[in-house]
Amino acid sequence: MAIIRVVKYDGPADVFAWKYPEHELGTWTQLIVNESQEAILFKGGQALDRFGAGRHTLSTQNIPILQSVINLPFGGDSPFTAEVWYVNRLNVLDVKWGTATPLMLQDPKFHIIVPVRSFGQFGIQIEDSRKFLLKLVGTLPAFDRDAMVRYFRGLLMMNINELISSYAVHKKVSFLEMGAYIGEMSAHMTNRVKETFAEYGIKLLHFYVESVNVPDNDPATIRLKEALAKKAEMDILGYTYQQERTFDTLEGAAKNEGTSGDLLGTGLGMGLGLGIGDGFGRQISRLTPHMETEALHACPNCGTMNRHDAKFCSGCGRQTSAPSPQAAASEAGPKGTPCSNCGHLLQPNAKFCPNCGDKFDPCPNCGADNPGSAEQCAKCGHTLKAPACAKCGESLTPGAKFCPSCGASAVLKCGRCQHEVKPNQKFCPECGNNLTEQEEKDG
């Protein structure tokens, strides 16, 4: 071998291991190893001698392990067969990873199936060159960054899938809110996979989870984001979904001239049932300019608002030109008092209705018959039953704010906003709280 061969590697930094293509190396071959590199000689598939940074002359005197396995019958000047591997020990901090396809997981907060994606990067350093070459590289001519990610993709995806699912389930957070836990997830993944990397002679410097998200074009995600945006809008404006639906119904009634009166009456009933109070009144004031301005009158039988020229009621079908039996009975005056149940005329000395058997409970103020459970007269509004203290049961005078027996407050208040409410109200006029549920919970 007249020419002294120089062996070195100056390839790209993303190559972790590279094999010199020639196998026959002559004695006095110059082996150049750069900083952050390490060279290993192989003979017969065995890793023998290791060389650090610097210039090394390959001879039997400089490679003692190789000397014991090489037969040199030519006085030490003949070529010998060996493989030279270069291992890059530079810190590589930007190895990218990511989910090839979204993971189909159930959102623990909103209980819908959404596709979840995740990506990030990790940093590594080859710590044990011999172990790295023997366990991972094998007979490949080179081992670069893509090969590294490909080899460890299964390990990473298994742990990422379990990590994202466990964080969502145990912390009860939506995948839309997962960004708040990126730091914790990154630290947990670093501790979890670094031992596996160490088995291949690789030191894991860090593992970063940069993002956990769902695709913007996913139908389930789009509907979820629209619902959250709608909820935020209603929270800012101060009304609920049921009230929003009531507003939509009234707006539809304003656009339909033929049935605007009927739907207005229906909308008013819904509004009072939901207890939306002043907010509903303001909504009505915005809708009324679009509604019919002609006069309306109520049906004497069912109370449905009808147009002034209507001959029959649109609610009960009764002819509006002639009074109903109940209306005639109410105008009877001295002839008798109409029964609150069936409308039959009752004599002043009657105790029960001769038509339906309902008990006659006259109002002490105007004499009108009222149901037994009524607290106020339906005709004049007179108080029929004295309110009782909720704490001790003592009878209270009308308008009293405190019980004269125990001193407890007699003013009814909403359990949510503490707004004053009246007896038998079902919803708070201030915040819309269900007062019936509150009474069941308190009582």
Side-chain angles (χ1 to χ4, degrees):
M1 302 292 292
I3 301 177
I4 298 177
R5 182 170 298 177
V6 178
V7 178
K8 66 177 181 177
Y9 175 67
D10 294 324
D14 62 347
V15 176
F16 296 103
W18 177 80
K19 183 174 71 172
Y20 184 69
E22 298 294 335
H23 292 180
E24 293 186 357
L25 304 175
T27 302
W28 313 115
T29 295
Q30 299 298 302
L31 182 66
I32 307 299
V33 182
N34 297 327
E35 292 289 345
S36 74
Q37 289 182 347
E38 195 170 55
I40 298 180
L41 265 65
F42 278 76
K43 174 65 175 179
Q46 294 180 334
L48 302 178
D49 293 282
R50 182 184 304 180
F51 299 90
R55 182 173 62 86
H56 307 275
T57 301
L58 298 185
S59 65
T60 56
Q61 289 79 14
N62 295 335
I63 45 179
I65 300 178
L66 185 61
Q67 181 185 18
S68 62
V69 297
I70 292 180
N71 183 14
L72 299 177
F74 302 104
D77 294 331
S78 66
F80 55 87
T81 302
E83 296 178 356
V84 178
W85 276 91
Y86 279 88
V87 177
N88 184 4
R89 300 193 62 183
L90 186 69
N91 291 352
V92 181
L93 305 178
D94 58 345
V95 182
K96 306 292 184 180
W97 65 267
T99 53
T101 57
L103 309 174
M104 302 305 296
L105 302 174
Q106 184 181 26
D107 193 294
K109 188 173 182 179
F110 301 107
H111 307 291
I112 62 174
I113 302 298
V114 293
V116 181
R117 302 178 302 188
S118 182
F119 62 88
Q121 66 181 26
F122 60 91
I124 59 174
Q125 179 191 25
I126 307 302
E127 190 173 38
D128 191 333
S129 302
R130 186 188 302 270
K131 183 186 294 186
F132 174 71
L133 291 174
L134 292 177
K135 283 197 169 187
L136 204 58
V137 178
T139 59
L140 296 176
F143 192 87
D144 57 8
R145 184 178 307 192
D146 293 337
M148 176 74 71
V149 175
R150 185 170 60 253
Y151 268 66
F152 287 96
R153 181 180 300 277
L155 170 69
L156 296 178
M157 291 304 100
M158 178 189 68
N159 286 276
I160 283 293
N161 190 357
E162 181 182 353
L163 180 65
I164 294 176
S165 302
S166 61
Y167 260 81
V169 172
H170 294 307
K171 294 187 177 293
K172 302 296 183 183
V173 295
S174 170
F175 294 117
L176 301 178
E177 306 168 347
M178 194 65 73
Y181 300 89
I182 292 298
E184 295 182 17
M185 297 173 64
S186 300
H188 184 76
M189 276 295 294
T190 302
N191 297 329
R192 189 165 197 172
V193 301
K194 67 178 181 180
E195 295 182 359
T196 304
F197 276 91
E199 295 178 1
Y200 295 91
I202 303 172
K203 179 181 179 181
L204 183 65
L205 303 177
H206 62 257
F207 191 97
Y208 294 146
V209 180
E210 295 182 0
S211 176
V212 178
N213 57 66
V214 293
D216 293 333
N217 58 351
D218 177 63
T221 305
I222 294 175
R223 292 195 301 270
L224 177 58
K225 290 182 177 180
E226 290 176 350
L228 292 176
K230 188 65 175 179
K231 181 179 183 301
E233 178 184 357
M234 291 190 294
D235 291 342
I236 294 174
L237 297 177
Y239 56 86
T240 63
Y241 175 78
Q242 289 81 2
Q243 294 168 347
E244 169 75 8
R245 296 300 299 162
T246 302
F247 299 155
D248 294 341
T249 302
L250 291 174
E251 187 173 2
K255 297 178 180 179
N256 191 337
E257 297 182 357
T259 57
S260 58
D262 298 340
L263 289 178
L264 177 60
T266 305
L268 286 170
M270 294 174 62
L272 294 176
L274 290 172
I276 59 180
D278 296 337
F280 182 81
R282 289 190 298 269
Q283 184 70 13
I284 290 295
S285 66
R286 294 201 303 267
L287 293 179
T288 49
H290 305 284
M291 303 186 67
E292 296 179 335
T293 57
E294 58 186 18
L296 302 177
H297 68 275
C299 173
N301 181 54
C302 65
T304 302
M305 301 300 295
N306 295 275
R307 295 169 56 177
H308 70 287
D309 58 345
K311 297 181 179 181
F312 295 89
C313 175
S314 61
C316 63
R318 185 176 298 276
Q319 186 176 0
T320 58
S321 59
S324 65
Q326 286 85 346
S330 64
E331 298 173 357
K335 297 181 180 179
T337 302
C339 174
S340 62
N341 185 43
C342 67
H344 187 79
L345 295 180
L346 304 175
Q347 297 301 320
N349 58 350
K351 295 183 178 180
F352 297 90
C353 175
N355 184 46
C356 65
D358 184 61
K359 184 179 179 181
F360 180 34
D361 291 320
C363 172
N365 183 48
C366 66
D369 184 29
N370 290 273
S373 59
E375 297 183 359
Q376 291 183 337
C377 177
K379 185 176 181 180
C380 66
H382 183 74
T383 302
L384 300 178
K385 293 183 179 179
C389 175
K391 184 175 182 181
C392 65
E394 181 71 16
S395 297
L396 304 176
T397 58
K401 295 186 176 181
F402 294 92
C403 176
S405 178
C406 65
S409 175
V411 178
L412 300 178
K413 294 184 178 181
C414 172
R416 177 186 296 173
C417 66
Q418 299 302 313
H419 184 77
E420 183 176 350
V421 296
K422 297 180 180 180
N424 300 325
Q425 276 190 334
K426 296 183 178 180
F427 295 89
C428 174
E430 182 70 18
C431 66
N433 183 32
N434 191 329
L435 301 177
T436 304
E437 295 180 356
Q438 176 180 326
E439 292 177 359
E440 293 176 356
K441 183 184 298 184
D442 297 339

